[in-house]
Every structure is written in structure tokens, then in C-alpha cells.
Short mmCIF file of all heavy atoms in Angstrom, two decimals:
data_model
loop_
_atom_site.label_atom_id
_atom_site.label_comp_id
_atom_site.label_asym_id
_atom_site.label_seq_id
_atom_site.Cartn_x
_atom_site.Cartn_y
_atom_site.Cartn_z
N ALA R 110 111.09 112.97 79.46
CA ALA R 110 111.40 111.58 79.09
C ALA R 110 112.42 111.54 77.96
O ALA R 110 113.32 110.69 77.96
CB ALA R 110 110.12 110.86 78.67
N GLU R 111 112.32 112.47 77.02
CA GLU R 111 113.30 112.55 75.94
C GLU R 111 114.69 112.88 76.48
O GLU R 111 115.70 112.32 76.04
CB GLU R 111 112.87 113.61 74.92
CG GLU R 111 111.64 113.25 74.10
CD GLU R 111 111.94 112.17 73.07
OE1 GLU R 111 113.11 112.03 72.65
OE2 GLU R 111 110.99 111.44 72.70
N ILE R 112 114.74 113.80 77.43
CA ILE R 112 116.03 114.17 78.04
C ILE R 112 116.62 112.97 78.78
O ILE R 112 117.81 112.68 78.67
CB ILE R 112 115.85 115.37 78.98
CG1 ILE R 112 115.51 116.62 78.17
CG2 ILE R 112 117.12 115.60 79.81
CD1 ILE R 112 115.18 117.83 79.02
N GLU R 113 115.77 112.27 79.52
CA GLU R 113 116.26 111.13 80.30
C GLU R 113 116.82 110.02 79.41
O GLU R 113 117.78 109.34 79.78
CB GLU R 113 115.12 110.59 81.17
CG GLU R 113 114.75 111.53 82.32
CD GLU R 113 113.56 111.02 83.11
OE1 GLU R 113 112.92 110.04 82.65
OE2 GLU R 113 113.25 111.61 84.17
N SER R 114 116.23 109.85 78.23
CA SER R 114 116.69 108.77 77.35
C SER R 114 117.89 109.18 76.50
O SER R 114 118.72 108.34 76.15
CB SER R 114 115.54 108.33 76.43
OG SER R 114 115.14 109.40 75.58
N GLY R 115 117.98 110.47 76.17
CA GLY R 115 119.03 110.90 75.26
C GLY R 115 120.18 111.66 75.88
O GLY R 115 121.25 111.78 75.27
N TYR R 116 119.99 112.14 77.10
CA TYR R 116 121.01 112.98 77.74
C TYR R 116 121.19 112.51 79.20
O TYR R 116 120.64 113.09 80.14
CB TYR R 116 120.61 114.45 77.68
CG TYR R 116 120.37 114.93 76.27
CD1 TYR R 116 119.09 114.92 75.71
CD2 TYR R 116 121.44 115.36 75.48
CE1 TYR R 116 118.87 115.33 74.40
CE2 TYR R 116 121.23 115.79 74.17
CZ TYR R 116 119.94 115.76 73.64
OH TYR R 116 119.73 116.16 72.34
N PRO R 117 121.95 111.43 79.39
CA PRO R 117 122.05 110.80 80.72
C PRO R 117 122.67 111.70 81.78
O PRO R 117 122.28 111.61 82.96
CB PRO R 117 122.93 109.58 80.45
CG PRO R 117 123.67 109.89 79.18
CD PRO R 117 122.72 110.71 78.37
N ALA R 118 123.63 112.53 81.40
CA ALA R 118 124.26 113.39 82.42
C ALA R 118 123.27 114.41 82.94
O ALA R 118 123.21 114.68 84.16
CB ALA R 118 125.48 114.09 81.83
N MET R 119 122.47 115.01 82.06
CA MET R 119 121.45 115.95 82.50
C MET R 119 120.40 115.24 83.36
O MET R 119 119.95 115.77 84.39
CB MET R 119 120.78 116.61 81.29
CG MET R 119 121.68 117.58 80.55
SD MET R 119 120.89 118.26 79.05
CE MET R 119 119.42 119.04 79.75
N ALA R 120 120.02 114.04 82.95
CA ALA R 120 119.04 113.28 83.72
C ALA R 120 119.56 112.97 85.12
O ALA R 120 118.82 113.06 86.11
CB ALA R 120 118.70 111.98 82.98
N GLU R 121 120.83 112.61 85.20
CA GLU R 121 121.43 112.32 86.52
C GLU R 121 121.43 113.56 87.40
O GLU R 121 121.16 113.49 88.60
CB GLU R 121 122.85 111.80 86.33
CG GLU R 121 123.52 111.40 87.64
CD GLU R 121 124.92 110.85 87.45
OE1 GLU R 121 125.37 110.73 86.28
OE2 GLU R 121 125.58 110.57 88.46
N LEU R 122 121.72 114.72 86.79
CA LEU R 122 121.72 115.96 87.57
C LEU R 122 120.33 116.30 88.07
O LEU R 122 120.15 116.68 89.23
CB LEU R 122 122.26 117.11 86.71
CG LEU R 122 122.33 118.48 87.41
CD1 LEU R 122 123.29 118.43 88.59
CD2 LEU R 122 122.74 119.56 86.43
N PHE R 123 119.31 116.14 87.20
CA PHE R 123 117.94 116.42 87.64
C PHE R 123 117.54 115.50 88.80
O PHE R 123 116.90 115.93 89.75
CB PHE R 123 116.96 116.23 86.48
CG PHE R 123 117.07 117.28 85.41
CD1 PHE R 123 116.65 117.02 84.11
CD2 PHE R 123 117.63 118.53 85.69
CE1 PHE R 123 116.75 117.99 83.12
CE2 PHE R 123 117.74 119.49 84.70
CZ PHE R 123 117.31 119.23 83.42
N ALA R 124 117.94 114.24 88.72
CA ALA R 124 117.58 113.27 89.77
C ALA R 124 118.25 113.62 91.10
O ALA R 124 117.68 113.38 92.17
CB ALA R 124 117.97 111.86 89.33
N ALA R 125 119.46 114.17 91.02
CA ALA R 125 120.22 114.48 92.25
C ALA R 125 120.08 115.94 92.67
O ALA R 125 120.76 116.38 93.60
CB ALA R 125 121.70 114.15 92.03
N ARG R 126 119.21 116.69 91.98
CA ARG R 126 119.13 118.13 92.20
C ARG R 126 118.91 118.52 93.66
O ARG R 126 119.64 119.33 94.21
CB ARG R 126 117.99 118.73 91.35
CG ARG R 126 117.80 120.23 91.54
CD ARG R 126 116.62 120.73 90.75
NE ARG R 126 115.40 120.01 91.14
CZ ARG R 126 114.26 120.09 90.47
NH1 ARG R 126 114.18 120.82 89.37
NH2 ARG R 126 113.19 119.42 90.89
N GLU R 127 117.90 117.95 94.29
CA GLU R 127 117.58 118.35 95.67
C GLU R 127 118.73 118.03 96.62
O GLU R 127 119.06 118.83 97.50
CB GLU R 127 116.30 117.65 96.13
CG GLU R 127 115.04 118.10 95.39
CD GLU R 127 114.83 119.60 95.47
OE1 GLU R 127 115.11 120.18 96.53
OE2 GLU R 127 114.38 120.19 94.48
N ALA R 128 119.34 116.86 96.44
CA ALA R 128 120.47 116.49 97.31
C ALA R 128 121.65 117.44 97.11
O ALA R 128 122.31 117.85 98.07
CB ALA R 128 120.89 115.05 97.04
N ILE R 129 121.90 117.81 95.85
CA ILE R 129 123.03 118.70 95.56
C ILE R 129 122.78 120.09 96.12
O ILE R 129 123.66 120.71 96.74
CB ILE R 129 123.28 118.76 94.04
CG1 ILE R 129 123.87 117.43 93.56
CG2 ILE R 129 124.24 119.90 93.70
CD1 ILE R 129 124.03 117.34 92.05
N LEU R 130 121.56 120.61 95.94
CA LEU R 130 121.23 121.94 96.46
C LEU R 130 121.28 121.95 98.00
O LEU R 130 121.77 122.91 98.59
CB LEU R 130 119.84 122.37 95.98
CG LEU R 130 119.74 122.77 94.51
CD1 LEU R 130 118.30 123.07 94.14
CD2 LEU R 130 120.64 123.98 94.20
N THR R 131 120.80 120.89 98.60
CA THR R 131 120.83 120.81 100.07
C THR R 131 122.27 120.77 100.58
O THR R 131 122.63 121.48 101.52
CB THR R 131 120.08 119.57 100.56
OG1 THR R 131 118.71 119.66 100.16
CG2 THR R 131 120.15 119.45 102.08
N LEU R 132 123.10 119.95 99.94
CA LEU R 132 124.51 119.85 100.33
C LEU R 132 125.21 121.19 100.16
O LEU R 132 125.96 121.63 101.04
CB LEU R 132 125.19 118.78 99.50
CG LEU R 132 126.68 118.48 99.80
CD1 LEU R 132 126.82 117.91 101.20
CD2 LEU R 132 127.25 117.51 98.77
N GLY R 133 124.97 121.86 99.03
CA GLY R 133 125.61 123.14 98.78
C GLY R 133 125.17 124.22 99.75
O GLY R 133 125.99 124.99 100.26
N GLU R 134 123.86 124.27 100.04
CA GLU R 134 123.34 125.28 100.96
C GLU R 134 123.85 125.06 102.37
O GLU R 134 124.23 126.00 103.07
CB GLU R 134 121.81 125.27 100.94
CG GLU R 134 121.17 126.24 101.93
CD GLU R 134 121.54 127.69 101.68
OE1 GLU R 134 121.59 128.13 100.51
OE2 GLU R 134 121.80 128.40 102.67
N GLN R 135 123.87 123.82 102.81
CA GLN R 135 124.35 123.52 104.16
C GLN R 135 125.82 123.91 104.33
O GLN R 135 126.19 124.54 105.32
CB GLN R 135 124.18 122.03 104.47
CG GLN R 135 122.74 121.62 104.70
CD GLN R 135 122.59 120.12 104.90
OE1 GLN R 135 123.48 119.33 104.58
NE2 GLN R 135 121.45 119.70 105.42
N GLY R 136 126.65 123.56 103.34
CA GLY R 136 128.07 123.89 103.43
C GLY R 136 128.31 125.38 103.41
O GLY R 136 129.09 125.91 104.22
N LEU R 137 127.63 126.10 102.51
CA LEU R 137 127.82 127.54 102.40
C LEU R 137 127.29 128.27 103.63
O LEU R 137 127.95 129.18 104.16
CB LEU R 137 127.13 128.06 101.14
CG LEU R 137 127.14 129.58 100.92
CD1 LEU R 137 128.54 130.15 100.97
CD2 LEU R 137 126.45 129.91 99.60
N SER R 138 126.12 127.89 104.11
CA SER R 138 125.54 128.54 105.29
C SER R 138 126.44 128.35 106.51
O SER R 138 126.59 129.27 107.33
CB SER R 138 124.15 127.97 105.58
OG SER R 138 123.26 128.28 104.54
#
């Protein structure tokens, strides 16, 4: 919660993590 309130870019990355990993794995594979 502290990260989400004080570090928006990190919070955005955590929220999009699964989508980003899926996109990266699909493209590389």
C-alpha cells in the first residue's frame, strides 16, 4: 500500500505484471 501511494510507476508495473509477462513470453516463444 505504501508503494502504491508513493511510487506510482512501480505500482503500475505491478498491476500490469501478468499482462506484460504474458505478452513477452508469447512474442519470444
